[in-house]
Amino acid sequence: MIIPEAETLLSVQNLTAEVDGTPILQGVNLEVKRGEIHAIMGPNGSGKSTFSKVLAGHPDYKVTGGSITFKGQNLLEWEPEIRAREGLFLAFQYPLEIPGVTNSEFLRISCNAVRKHRGLPELDLLDFNDFITEKLQVVAMNPAFLQRSVNEGFSGGEKKRNEIVQMAVMEPELAILDETDSGLDIDALKIVAAGVNQLSNERNATIVITHYQRLLNYIVPDFVHVMEEGRIVLTGGKELALELEARGYDWLTEEV
Amino acid sequence: MTAEVERLLHAIRTEATERLTQLHFPTVREEDWRYTDLTPIKEIPWQQLETAEVVEALPLPEADYQLVLQNGVWQRERSVICQDGLCVLGSVAGVIPQCSSVLFAHLGQYTDDRDYLTQLNSQACHDLALIYTSSKWEEHKTIGLHYLHTGHHCVSHPRCLIVLSPHTKLTVVEIYTGSAVEYWANPVTEIYVGEQAQLQHIVWQQQGRSAFHTKTTRVRQAKHSFYQIQTIDLGARLSRHNLHIQPQGEATTTIVQGLVSIAGEQLADTHSTILHSHPQGRSNQLHKCILRERSHGVFNGRICVTKAGQLTDASQLSRNLLLSPHARIDTKPQLEIVADNVKCSHGATVSQLDREELFYLQSRGIDQTTATTILTAAFAAEIINSIPLASLRELLRHV
């Protein structure tokens, strides 16, 4: 939702970044205010995923210019874990499997790291149990998944749901969903989208990165941005997504 | 101790003394000792001493019986023994006649006559611990064998014989620990697993960080028997485990799991041999090393299949996690196969922590140090989780 006079949560200015010496982002500008849902669309290789990794602080991506301000502070000065604790969350396009670490342990350590940073009391096993039971309901996740290794042997849909559980646990102010719809059938997509919508409120914001318009039927954006060759080349309302769906991305190169 | 047992031990000592004149202390010039230099052990003037200082045993709440040996000497008052259908004795001094025949049948029968360290142990063999299940024994008990060490420049050569009669089951946990001084433990454990018997064997080595630890384990398996050994090496400045397993009949099952987790200047060396000389033997070996700082892991795993070992199914995997650019691993899986109808596989991997996994954890608010601890524990979990004792699993969860 667009709220008049809402505080700016994220401000990206003229951001350039490279990976292994290859420039990917070539001057990204984006402003996200509390309450808003932004969609970033664009063809493969346009830099969408790189942008999300740079925001989260992946060590392989080197920022070469520009600035990222998050809640008025310089995001680039923070290690990835500080960004997470400060309220920036990235739902991975390909969530990793970590054999040998149970999901419940992972979620509890993550939860308490975040809570400690925010000056909240850490949750013991019992309190965490109650806490997580509630969070699982956001995406109707079976509690049996808590006892399994993180994402190990999960289906594509289960992994994406697990990402949303992590999001629910960490209670971010800015959530970035990187191709969360990829590999999901329509039922799983609806569940994930409903979870994201349930977690959205006027205090936080969401950036949905997607190649297809489909997800935006369920997570309705306030703004749609089109990324191409490492830049945001076009910004519009939710109707822009439908236009892209109908016409593809090629017409942009001609018109822009 | 009966006169005949006395004579048996005397004979073992005399033979060893003779053999030692033909042998020499291992040096790095020998292939088997290339990476493990025993020169520091050789140069220290070792003494065998009983000390008054009491070393605390590590906890093992699941143990039904326990033997405590300090510097190789049985601590009767700290042990819980049994001399029923199950014989758990820290010393053969009080051995009943029925069990003494076990000593005659098995003691010194499976050791290597040419191995210097074994013969050193035999030369000092004035007594030993005995664990024996009679064929009437029907329960499955857990026995803790606590080897405690202390005393500057003290050496001990503890000896243990484990014999399982046909169809019996047992879990034996050997625990090695000690003080921070420079001592040397040179234990020998001989094991016979009878027909269709099942032995779960765990060796938890948590010696003091200045200690030298050279262990020999020799195992014989009768047909259709099951033997599982899990070794956890965490302590000692230098540790070496010579493990030798040989089936004596067909269709045996052998599971060997080793976990090494060391740091500083520690060295942990595992040399294992599984000799499939009978048909239809199955063995599965997994050896994992976690190496930090300047530590050094050595693994040499031989699997031999003789002509008689048809239809052997043997697999071996050595996986190594290097957490520092200065850590080192020398791993050498060795398959020697003569039989033509077998299924054997082996492999070795050396890796660092996965950057993507680290980033995934960091992106969930977990700092790098904690993330490293979590991922390292996950690497060890494959072995830790299959230890059949809950208390040990819990204790070793963050090795």
Side-chain angles (χ1 to χ4, degrees):
Chain A
M1 72 197 83
I2 299 172
I3 302 164
E5 319 261 321
E7 184 193 347
T8 297
L9 203 48
L10 178 78
S11 172
V12 179
Q13 274 169 11
N14 211 18
L15 183 70
T16 57
E18 60 177 42
V19 58
D20 290 333
T22 311
I24 311 279
L25 300 184
Q26 322 237 27
V28 177
N29 291 292
L30 180 69
E31 189 132 329
V32 178
K33 294 194 168 74
R34 291 192 192 271
E36 295 173 349
I37 296 177
H38 291 244
I40 299 179
M41 302 183 73
N44 288 328
S46 58
K48 305 188 300 291
S49 276
T50 296
F51 183 47
S52 70
K53 293 273 175 63
V54 168
L55 287 173
H58 192 294
D60 288 353
Y61 298 83
K62 195 176 158 212
V63 172
T64 49
S67 67
I68 308 176
T69 311
F70 180 61
K71 299 195 293 183
Q73 301 194 67
N74 181 3
L75 184 80
L76 295 172
E77 279 182 356
W78 291 335
E79 291 293 314
E81 62 269 28
I82 304 298
R83 300 181 191 198
R85 294 173 195 170
E86 283 286 338
L88 185 141
F89 177 84
L90 171 65
F92 280 50
Q93 180 176 6
Y94 304 108
L96 279 89
E97 299 191 4
I98 310 182
V101 179
T102 62
N103 218 5
S104 63
E105 187 188 9
F106 175 56
L107 289 166
R108 193 169 57 87
I109 293 170
S110 165
C111 171
N112 280 335
V114 167
R115 288 179 69 92
K116 194 175 171 190
H117 186 83
R118 296 178 189 166
L120 298 166
E122 296 183 40
L123 299 180
D124 63 20
L125 276 173
L126 231 66
D127 288 340
F128 180 73
N129 223 355
D130 295 342
F131 175 82
I132 194 68
T133 307
E134 189 187 311
K135 300 297 182 189
L136 288 176
Q137 288 164 5
V138 171
V139 284
M141 190 116 162
N142 186 334
F145 281 97
L146 291 175
Q147 300 318 318
R148 289 172 53 181
S149 287
V150 177
N151 294 329
E152 193 186 25
F154 286 27
S155 72
E158 286 158 358
K159 283 181 186 171
K160 295 298 172 78
R161 274 151 80 167
N162 207 20
E163 293 290 289
I164 305 304
V165 171
Q166 291 165 33
M167 175 176 157
V169 163
M170 296 174 68
E171 298 171 347
E173 290 174 81
L174 176 65
I176 304 149
L177 311 178
D178 187 7
E179 305 275 1
T180 289
D181 49 336
S182 69
L184 292 190
D185 62 34
I186 191 70
D187 293 328
L189 183 93
K190 282 182 184 168
I191 292 170
V192 166
V196 172
N197 288 331
Q198 197 185 322
L199 297 172
S200 294
N201 58 42
E202 71 282 0
R203 294 288 305 150
N204 60 28
T206 308
I207 298 175
V208 182
I209 292 172
T210 182
H211 188 74
Y212 301 103
Q213 187 270 338
R214 191 178 67 151
L215 178 65
L216 304 181
N217 290 333
Y218 303 97
I219 302 173
V220 181
D222 302 303
F223 300 96
V224 173
H225 310 276
V226 181
M227 191 172 244
E228 205 168 74
E229 289 176 2
R231 280 189 197 91
I232 288 175
V233 295
L234 190 64
T235 295
K238 62 183 176 199
E239 63 290 341
L240 178 57
L242 292 168
E243 193 171 355
L244 287 167
E245 180 81 352
R247 299 176 66 184
Y249 290 104
D250 290 344
W251 61 276
L252 281 169
T253 345
E254 290 141 30
E255 284 188 19
V256 175
Chain B
M1 196 177 302
T2 63
E4 55 173 357
V5 171
E6 190 103 50
R7 276 198 299 277
L8 174 67
L9 297 184
H10 184 262
I12 283 174
R13 290 196 300 270
T14 313
E15 261 181 82
T17 308
E18 255 165 53
R19 285 188 191 122
L20 281 169
T21 61
Q22 320 282 321
L23 300 168
H24 63 86
F25 215 94
T27 72
V28 288
R29 286 189 298 277
E30 290 155 62
E31 183 60 28
D32 269 355
W33 293 92
R34 247 175 92 185
Y35 303 109
T36 304
D37 187 0
L38 296 185
T39 309
I41 298 187
K42 199 181 170 188
E43 285 173 354
I44 290 169
W46 298 101
Q47 47 181 344
Q48 275 178 270
L49 273 184
E50 280 187 58
T51 57
E53 180 193 347
V54 174
V55 180
E56 277 302 309
L58 294 167
L60 190 70
E62 287 96 339
D64 298 293
Y65 301 100
Q66 59 181 20
L67 298 177
V68 179
L69 294 97
Q70 185 160 316
N71 286 7
V73 180
W74 184 39
Q75 312 290 301
R76 183 174 205 130
E77 66 289 354
R78 299 172 71 184
S79 301
V80 182
I81 64 164
C82 172
Q83 230 185 134
D84 197 4
L86 171 68
C87 169
V88 183
L89 270 186
S91 159
V92 294
V95 71
I96 53 176
Q98 181 205 354
C99 293
S100 70
S101 64
V102 173
L103 292 176
F104 279 90
H106 299 282
L107 188 64
Q109 299 298 307
Y110 316 125
T111 47
D112 182 351
D113 294 345
R114 289 156 304 150
D115 180 59
Y116 189 87
L117 295 170
T118 306
Q119 297 310 318
L120 265 187
N121 178 289
S122 293
Q123 189 186 29
C125 185
H126 289 273
D127 201 354
L128 68 141
L130 174 66
I131 297 171
Y132 164 68
T133 56
S134 81
S135 53
K136 295 184 195 78
W137 179 253
E138 284 178 352
E139 290 175 69
H140 185 167
K141 296 283 187 191
T142 298
I143 296 159
L145 262 164
H146 298 270
Y147 297 92
L148 315 175
H149 306 85
T150 189
H152 185 60
H153 288 180
C154 278
V155 62
S156 58
H157 301 280
R159 184 92 166 212
C160 178
L161 175 67
I162 302 169
V163 176
L164 267 70
S165 287
H167 302 277
T168 58
K169 290 177 191 164
L170 208 58
T171 298
V172 175
V173 188
E174 292 186 67
I175 306 173
Y176 292 89
T177 188
S179 66
V181 300
E182 201 168 49
Y183 61 84
W184 177 24
N186 181 44
V188 172
T189 304
E190 295 164 274
I191 295 172
Y192 182 83
V193 189
E195 212 177 304
Q196 294 203 28
Q198 297 181 17
L199 177 62
Q200 303 254 19
H201 185 201
I202 296 150
V203 182
W204 174 15
Q205 186 269 106
Q206 189 140 1
Q207 298 279 30
R209 284 286 282 268
S210 305
F212 299 96
H213 177 84
T214 52
K215 181 183 199 300
T216 303
T217 307
R218 307 281 298 191
V219 183
R220 288 292 168 94
Q221 282 186 259
K223 66 177 180 182
H224 298 284
S225 65
F226 172 91
Y227 175 70
Q228 170 170 301
I229 180 167
Q230 291 164 311
T231 57
I232 313 292
D233 283 285
L234 309 174
R237 157 184 169 187
L238 180 156
S239 70
R240 163 80 171 225
H241 188 200
N242 288 326
L243 170 64
H244 188 277
I245 302 170
Q246 185 175 353
Q248 270 189 334
E250 80 259 16
T252 51
T253 303
T254 309
I255 296 171
V256 180
Q257 297 187 331
L259 177 66
V260 170
S261 179
I262 51 175
E265 305 271 335
Q266 285 181 287
L267 179 145
D269 177 350
T270 303
H271 268 63
S272 69
T273 301
I274 303 173
L275 181 54
H276 285 287
S277 51
H278 288 82
Q280 293 168 36
R282 297 164 62 90
S283 67
N284 188 315
Q285 182 171 24
L286 174 64
H287 192 79
K288 284 192 162 185
C289 293
I290 300 165
L291 305 168
R292 302 176 182 82
E293 297 162 12
R294 295 184 172 273
S295 61
H296 184 181
V298 181
F299 174 68
N300 188 300
R302 272 175 79 212
I303 292 179
C304 309
V305 185
T306 70
K307 197 155 187 200
Q310 297 294 357
L311 299 171
T312 291
D313 183 346
S315 65
Q316 183 193 66
L317 183 59
S318 155
R319 292 192 60 199
N320 305 284
L321 181 60
L322 268 59
L323 293 176
S324 141
H326 306 293
R328 171 177 172 154
I329 176 72
D330 288 285
T331 176
K332 187 177 173 191
Q334 256 179 293
L335 287 183
E336 295 161 18
I337 303 167
V338 182
D340 51 14
N341 188 5
V342 299
K343 193 171 128 194
C344 292
S345 66
H346 69 113
T349 65
V350 179
S351 63
Q352 297 168 323
L353 281 184
D354 188 295
R355 279 165 69 84
E356 293 298 324
E357 288 183 4
L358 265 178
F359 175 64
Y360 191 49
L361 267 63
Q362 283 181 276
S363 77
R364 299 307 180 242
I366 300 167
D367 65 85
Q368 203 162 353
T369 311
T370 309
T372 302
T373 308
I374 292 172
L375 293 175
T376 307
F379 177 81
E382 192 180 353
I383 289 176
I384 300 295
N385 288 345
S386 62
I387 292 177
L389 303 173
S391 71
L392 257 183
R393 283 199 299 274
E394 191 51 38
L395 265 169
L396 298 172
R397 224 156 54 87
H398 290 290
V399 292

